[in-house]
Amino acid sequence: MNWVGTLVLGTLVTFGSAHAAPPAAGTEIGNQALARYIDSGGTQQESKSNNALTIVQQVGGFTLVDSNTKSAAAGNTVYMPHTLTNTGNGSDKFKLSVAETLAGVPPFTKIAIYADANGTGLPSGTALCASDGTTACTTGFDQTVAGNGGVFRFVVAYSVPPDATASWTSKATVTAKAGTPDLYPATNLTATNLDTVNLTTGAAFSVTKSLSLPGVKAPGGADWPKAITGGAPSAATCSTTWSAGLGSAAGCTYAVYTINFSNTGAAAGAFSVRDTLPDGMTYVTGSAVWSGKGGVALAEPTTTGDVIYSVDGKTLRATVANVGVSQQGTLSFVVLVNSTAKPDGSNTANVAMYGSGSCPAGPTVDTCTTTPTNKVPFTPSTVYGVVAASTAANPVKDASTPPAVSSDQNNLVIMPTVNPNGSVRFSNYIVNTGNGTDSFNIKTTNDTTNDPQCRELRAQRGFEHGAVADLHPHLAGRGVARWHRHGRLQHPCHAAACSLWCAGRQQGCGRSAGRQRRADPERVHRRAHPAGLRRDPGAVPPAAQPATHGP
């Protein structure tokens, strides 16, 4: 029997920088081959293989950050923030403990661990363990953390003895142990951080940064935008200059950062902070307010007075000239979550740097603001979008369904001539216009009812009938996949004679394994054009007669 057929297999194309999570433990991954052919009687047939099923096993991994060094006066308590991240693909328990490994004389009067539910670097709720409680922190406690990047943030509170003198210092080791050792490599069963507390007779500052509203009004006595820890990236047209009611602008996401500081030392001193915003955040000019003058925006720059303040690009610098012992204060400002914000949060989380002791304003501020605050995460929403076009440069989303065949919309390429029985090659581009990794099913169907002389056009390189392209965003938020179509014509196709419809069904992976999103198809209508056959720009056109096609 003579037959002509095609073998259809899924094809995965990967490019750009991906931050996709691995499949969750227990995920079933199936693979099935499909063969289509035309038998000797001219009837199209198909045959499917068995479904090969793979079940993903759990693999463990985790990290613990960061080590801390802070100063305090005798009798005060300091808080050290830590983050436990489960980098494995399944949930697990971890044993958390802390022990004074290089004790001062006398040692800490109390050590306790608290959850840090909001990522502020301050305790939330009651102690999970305490040196004077029923659960000793040297023994520790079990904490369950979800897989694929799940986090548990906590703080360790250290109380300096009231009779500490001179060069007193004490160190403690914070330890996290894997709860199910068989899942982990031998090198990743335990992780530790080292916390150091030094006694000071001068100023010493305890500082936290959070996405929260301060206790004073915004500039002009207005209300601050709503406190949020996540949201959609903003349109490029959103304002970056403060005005009352800014937070209600449609299509614009604004967040409020608040830096809390308190002098836990033994003498008054100058508090300085330096904050460089991540790429996904843009400072809103005129939005900064110090708690000492609520409702009044800090001038940019402010060079004299109680607060010295300046903004240089993405870096903010502030100095509060005289902070008394046990005095507290805040510095708050607004940022726009800009259009480049990535859904994995890699360019929206940051820390501020501050001076742990007295750090006066002046040219040395950058050299004395060396102690980091807690890291503040912000989770941008994933935005989905896809465009099909004939060029990778500036593709335009089609406004009509089916879309108009127009070179202005980058969905028309012309092949001026083609020989009978000649071979024609087209390039087609699927563009990920969203801000995260996404997957698209690319399917081609053929319509030759207008002219039976046009032989079926078939996709090359595996992009045929349901092949999948895994598209990753470039730094500009756009990923591009390219595939070729290759057709052979029995006879010249005349104007308005051949058409081809290509529909791409968007299927998002989501931010966690096992969750998918489906959207309406983006479609590109391929039909006849009197000017000739549409092709990949740069391809060498065969000589002879005109034919038509389009992406």
Side-chain angles (χ1 to χ4, degrees), residues 48 51 88 92 126 161 170 188 223 291 304 308 367 409 425 448 458 478 485 512 545:
K48 295 181 180 178
N51 187 23
D92 199 8
T126 59
S170 193
N188 194 200
D223 291 332
S291 56
T304 60
I308 306 301
T367 60
Q409 291 190 334
R425 182 185 183 190
T448 59
R458 294 174 182 165
R478 173 174 291 164
R485 298 193 56 75
S512 59
Q545 306 179 28

Side-chain angles (χ1 to χ4, degrees), residues 170-255:
S170 193
K171 299 178 185 289
T173 299
V174 181
T175 302
K177 291 184 178 180
T180 314
D182 291 345
L183 299 177
Y184 297 81
T187 56
N188 194 200
L189 294 174
T190 302
T192 61
N193 291 161
L194 181 65
D195 288 341
T196 303
V197 180
N198 298 315
L199 181 71
T200 182
T201 56
F205 293 99
S206 179
V207 183
T208 62
K209 184 178 180 183
S210 61
L211 285 160
S212 63
L213 306 187
V216 296
K217 285 288 189 178
D223 291 332
W224 295 96
K226 183 180 178 181
I228 58 173
T229 58
S234 303
T237 56
C238 292
S239 175
T240 56
T241 300
W242 170 260
S243 63
L246 188 73
S248 62
C252 303
T253 301
Y254 295 93

Side-chain angles (χ1 to χ4, degrees), residues 90-152:
S91 177
D92 199 8
K93 287 184 178 180
F94 300 89
K95 175 77 74 176
L96 290 172
S97 62
V98 58
E100 200 166 5
T101 51
L102 183 60
V105 181
F108 291 120
T109 55
K110 182 179 179 179
I111 299 176
I113 296 180
Y114 298 85
D116 179 11
N118 300 318
T120 61
L122 294 173
S124 301
T126 59
L128 301 173
C129 70
S131 56
D132 62 352
T134 55
T135 302
C137 288
T138 51
T139 301
F141 61 94
D142 290 331
Q143 179 64 46
T144 300
V145 183
N148 284 327
V151 299
F152 175 66

Side-chain angles (χ1 to χ4, degrees), residues 1 42 73 132 137 205 231 251 273 288 315 342 452 468 512 530:
M1 176 179 68
D132 62 352
C137 288
F205 293 99
V273 64
T315 301
K342 298 179 180 180
V468 176
S512 59

Side-chain angles (χ1 to χ4, degrees), residues 13-96:
V13 174
T14 303
F15 56 93
S17 299
H19 299 276
T27 299
E28 295 183 353
I29 300 176
N31 185 32
Q32 187 174 40
L34 171 65
R36 291 191 182 97
Y37 61 94
I38 299 174
D39 62 22
S40 57
T43 302
Q44 179 171 301
Q45 306 284 354
E46 69 176 35
S47 177
K48 295 181 180 178
S49 73
N50 62 300
N51 187 23
L53 188 65
T54 299
I55 299 176
V56 177
Q57 299 299 306
Q58 184 166 349
V59 177
F62 70 100
T63 61
L64 180 68
V65 295
D66 283 305
S67 296
N68 300 272
T69 298
K70 291 187 177 182
S71 299
N76 281 343
T77 299
V78 293
Y79 300 100
M80 308 290 203
H82 299 271
T83 302
L84 172 66
T85 303
N86 183 351
T87 59
N89 65 345
S91 177
D92 199 8
K93 287 184 178 180
F94 300 89
K95 175 77 74 176
L96 290 172

Side-chain angles (χ1 to χ4, degrees), residues 458-483:
R458 294 174 182 165
Q460 288 188 326
R461 301 190 180 182
F463 283 89
E464 182 177 43
H465 302 295
V468 176
D470 191 11
L471 308 184
H472 306 285
H474 291 171
L475 294 180
R478 173 174 291 164
V480 180
R482 177 181 182 181
W483 88 99

Side-chain angles (χ1 to χ4, degrees), residues 269-534:
F271 166 69
S272 288
V273 64
R274 171 171 48 94
D275 195 351
T276 300
L277 299 177
D279 290 340
M281 300 292 196
T282 301
Y283 176 71
V284 174
T285 302
S287 66
V289 172
W290 169 51
S291 56
K293 291 185 178 180
V296 179
L298 290 169
E300 302 165 10
T302 300
T303 57
T304 60
D306 295 328
V307 178
I308 306 301
Y309 183 70
S310 65
V311 180
D312 181 12
K314 283 186 168 290
T315 301
L316 290 64
R317 294 176 177 85
T319 299
V320 182
N322 188 34
V323 182
V325 175
S326 300
Q327 184 178 349
Q328 300 179 359
T330 61
L331 175 68
S332 301
F333 56 91
V334 180
V335 296
L336 172 73
V337 183
N338 64 45
S339 59
T340 69
K342 298 179 180 180
D344 62 359
S346 61
N347 69 343
T348 54
N350 81 319
V351 300
M353 307 297 291
Y354 67 95
S356 57
S358 186
C359 180
T364 61
V365 164
D366 283 8
T367 60
C368 69
T369 50
T370 57
T371 302
T373 66
N374 54 297
K375 179 177 285 189
V376 184
F378 183 93
T379 306
S381 304
T382 302
V383 177
Y384 297 99
V386 59
V387 171
S390 62
T391 174
N394 301 317
V396 178
K397 185 174 182 178
D398 296 306
S400 57
T401 304
V405 178
S406 166
S407 58
D408 293 337
Q409 291 190 334
N410 294 322
N411 63 7
L412 173 64
V413 183
I414 299 174
M415 172 75 77
T417 56
V418 64
N419 286 323
N421 287 317
S423 181
V424 182
R425 182 185 183 190
F426 300 93
S427 284
N428 303 269
Y429 295 86
I430 299 298
V431 184
N432 182 357
T433 59
N435 67 344
T437 300
D438 206 349
S439 296
F440 304 90
N441 291 332
I442 302 171
K443 182 180 180 180
T444 64
T445 58
N446 300 285
D447 180 3
T448 59
T449 56
N450 292 329
D451 191 340
Q453 295 177 330
C454 298
R455 183 178 293 180
E456 178 183 0
L457 299 175
R458 294 174 182 165
Q460 288 188 326
R461 301 190 180 182
F463 283 89
E464 182 177 43
H465 302 295
V468 176
D470 191 11
L471 308 184
H472 306 285
H474 291 171
L475 294 180
R478 173 174 291 164
V480 180
R482 177 181 182 181
W483 88 99
H484 300 285
R485 298 193 56 75
H486 190 274
R488 183 176 297 276
L489 304 177
Q490 292 178 327
H491 298 285
C493 286
H494 303 288
C498 298
S499 65
L500 177 64
W501 181 275
C502 176
R505 183 180 62 194
Q506 179 180 356
Q507 180 177 327
C509 295
R511 282 176 293 171
S512 59
R515 299 180 64 188
Q516 292 188 336
R517 174 185 181 279
R518 295 181 182 273
D520 292 335
E522 297 285 345
R523 291 178 283 190
V524 177
H525 194 201
R526 309 173 186 276
R527 58 186 174 189
H529 190 281
L533 190 67
R534 301 151 204 168

